[in-house]
Amino acid sequence: MAKRDYYEVLGIEKGADERSIKKAYRKLARKHHPDASDESPEVAEKKFKEISEAYEVLADSEKRSRYDQFGHDGVDFGGGGFSWDQFSHQGDISDLFGQLFGGRQGGGGGMGSIFSQLFGGGQSQPNNRGNDLRYDITLDLKEAFTGIEKEITIPREDSCKTCNGSGAAKGGTAKTCVTCAGQGIVRKVMQRGFMQTVSTDTCSDCRGTGNVIDKPCKDCKGSGIVSVDKKIKLKIPAGADDGYRLRMRGQGSAGPNNGPKGDLYIVVNVKRHDIFQRQDNEIILDLDISPSQAVLGDSIRVPTLAGNVKLSIPSGTQSGDVLRLKGKGMPDITRPSIKGSQHVRINIKVPKPNGKTRKLWEELKKLDSTKPSFLDRMRDTFG
Ligand SMILES: [Zn+2]
Ligand SMILES: [Zn+2]
């Protein structure tokens, strides 16, 4: 199928200026966007791709002049047609997308889903966006209880300060890479038997930037990007549980070509505590008490994450009883003023009698009217 003339696609004159090209594209993109269009999704998607392709060429003065001279051959997108990789490479289209669809590139959900719907999934971010990074941090339960603030060091890629990310030394200039025609990617055709697969690869001559620097910056060797150990102030709120993830927007690596930065994900591991067990915001503590404490009751001090507190053991407490210390559990991570409880699980620890206590236990045994007899219990059960 012959390709339509790009000017015709956008409905503009051959001599149209940049502004009218942008205006025409924006109007058509709104009209034919598959999420907004009245047309069938297939038709809308086809049209949308067509106008996006036309816009990519005509909005780029270099591609436009190649197109004006050589027609479609001058800016061939190849047999596979228009690809998202090529599309997303151009910054101002992404900007336009941001305006059109109410989100900035790299903003996650909204844009990503539109991109994947349009271009069949997979790549949900513009391809010059920097990498997301992950940092694992292990806290003990007490740190999770109070929250922490500390400085961490993240090895990441930053935009080179010397050249402002351009990769060019003072007086040097960036020229469009000839190998990939400024696309930053090259097509690779592989033949396997009868099957031919076409894949794209980052252009090695320009490292995917689309530009070649004649006098490269010394600090970044022309890449525009340097590896740094970035110190970041990390704040984990009180109440973080094991597996808690914190997203720090724009603290990931810088993208090539001054692309948007990726995000940094902090993943929290919380160590098991020796005596406190955690269930969400509740804390469980197993506590041994003596038979006399159980019978007579007592007032003792027990540990909590906030320090020792007084606990009243009521007279007649049984093994397995749970005594609750309200508000002595973990703070809720979203509402730290709300805290769980500490639950003290009682276990009556029976001591071996010694020379001093044996006599007393024997006295008690004689007096003990509640001593349950096995035969009594049998009678209760079977009538
Ligand atoms: Zn290249
Ligand atoms: Zn540099």
Side-chain angles (χ1 to χ4, degrees):
M1 195 185 78
K3 266 190 185 176
R4 279 171 75 202
D5 176 67
Y6 287 151
Y7 291 98
E8 198 189 304
V9 168
L10 293 184
I12 47 174
E13 298 289 327
K14 257 204 163 22
D17 62 12
E18 249 180 69
R19 256 190 64 211
S20 7
I21 294 173
K22 206 166 194 168
K23 212 172 130 192
Y25 167 70
R26 207 180 283 194
K27 202 172 139 200
L28 289 167
R30 259 199 210 106
K31 189 173 162 200
H32 295 296
H33 187 271
D35 285 348
S37 171
D38 296 327
E39 299 147 318
S40 76
E42 291 83 358
V43 171
E45 187 172 329
K46 222 172 114 194
K47 280 196 182 148
F48 190 80
K49 282 185 180 178
E50 191 180 37
I51 56 177
S52 300
E53 185 182 320
Y55 177 71
E56 184 181 359
V57 172
L58 298 185
D60 179 328
S61 57
E62 210 174 311
K63 283 182 200 153
R64 186 179 176 184
S65 82
R66 279 208 305 270
Y67 177 73
D68 287 341
Q69 264 185 289
F70 306 110
H72 286 295
D73 288 345
V75 288
D76 195 15
F77 285 95
F82 183 68
S83 85
W84 170 240
D85 284 350
Q86 290 158 327
F87 177 64
S88 68
H89 201 67
Q90 188 153 352
D92 68 341
I93 293 194
S94 306
D95 285 349
L96 208 56
F97 261 84
Q99 290 163 25
L100 278 172
F101 305 114
R104 291 282 310 157
Q105 55 187 26
M111 296 284 285
S113 61
I114 288 170
F115 290 147
S116 10
Q117 279 168 35
L118 280 175
F119 303 105
Q123 186 158 4
S124 64
Q125 302 285 0
N127 68 355
N128 69 335
R129 183 179 182 272
N131 288 329
D132 289 338
L133 301 174
R134 174 183 167 143
Y135 183 89
D136 287 85
I137 184 163
T138 300
L139 307 183
D140 60 38
L141 193 60
K142 203 140 193 180
E143 289 173 315
F145 175 76
T146 56
I148 59 151
E149 258 185 84
K150 71 187 263 193
E151 197 175 66
I152 56 170
T153 305
I154 306 286
R156 74 175 190 198
E157 315 264 80
D158 263 0
S159 186
C160 173
K161 284 200 177 76
T162 315
C163 62
N164 271 327
S166 74
K170 254 207 177 110
T173 48
K175 294 207 173 80
T176 303
C177 172
V178 180
T179 314
C180 63
Q183 301 289 348
I185 49 167
V186 286
R187 298 165 62 79
K188 265 198 327 202
V189 181
M190 303 234 296
Q191 191 81 39
R192 272 203 203 105
F194 297 110
M195 287 281 288
Q196 193 184 62
T197 54
V198 181
S199 62
T200 54
D201 219 352
T202 304
C203 173
S204 57
D205 286 358
C206 60
R207 294 196 202 87
T209 63
N211 295 315
V212 177
I213 314 292
D214 59 356
K215 254 208 258 166
C217 164
K218 283 200 179 73
D219 289 352
C220 62
K221 295 183 181 67
S223 68
I225 280 181
V226 286
S227 298
V228 295
D229 284 334
K230 177 74 182 175
K231 288 197 179 357
I232 287 173
K233 247 212 176 122
L234 175 61
K235 199 176 165 185
I236 309 269
D241 207 344
D242 198 39
Y244 174 74
R245 282 161 78 101
L246 187 70
R247 179 185 186 188
M248 300 178 84
R249 257 173 217 261
Q251 293 287 11
S253 278
N257 259 355
N258 277 323
K261 282 186 171 155
D263 297 331
L264 171 65
Y265 288 90
I266 307 290
V267 180
V268 174
N269 305 293
V270 181
K271 269 193 291 194
R272 286 176 69 105
H273 194 273
D274 289 342
I275 61 166
F276 297 116
Q277 291 170 53
R278 178 180 186 179
Q279 274 173 20
D280 300 321
N281 292 336
E282 307 300 301
I283 294 291
I284 297 152
L285 174 74
D286 284 311
L287 185 72
D288 289 342
I289 61 171
S290 71
S292 60
Q293 282 177 310
V295 172
L296 301 172
D298 204 356
S299 177
I300 59 169
R301 289 179 76 74
V302 292
T304 72
L305 286 164
N308 292 343
V309 299
K310 208 185 94 182
L311 175 72
S312 298
I313 298 169
S315 163
T317 293
Q318 305 284 345
S319 249
D321 281 359
V322 176
L323 306 175
R324 181 163 171 227
L325 290 163
K326 221 178 149 201
K328 297 295 175 192
M330 296 293 285
D332 189 286
I333 192 153
T334 52
R335 290 164 303 166
S337 58
I338 297 175
K339 292 193 171 75
S341 298
Q342 176 166 312
H343 305 266
V344 181
R345 211 153 51 185
I346 299 295
N347 174 50
I348 298 171
K349 191 152 187 178
V350 179
K352 284 249 177 343
N354 58 29
K356 260 190 186 162
T357 57
R358 176 172 288 277
K359 267 217 153 72
L360 292 167
W361 284 113
E362 276 167 1
E363 284 300 306
L364 273 172
K365 192 176 171 188
K366 272 181 225 155
L367 291 168
D368 202 343
S369 57
T370 63
K371 192 173 56 183
S373 110
F374 180 68
L375 280 172
D376 284 348
R377 267 189 288 149
M378 289 289 279
R379 219 169 287 132
D380 284 349
T381 310
F382 300 107

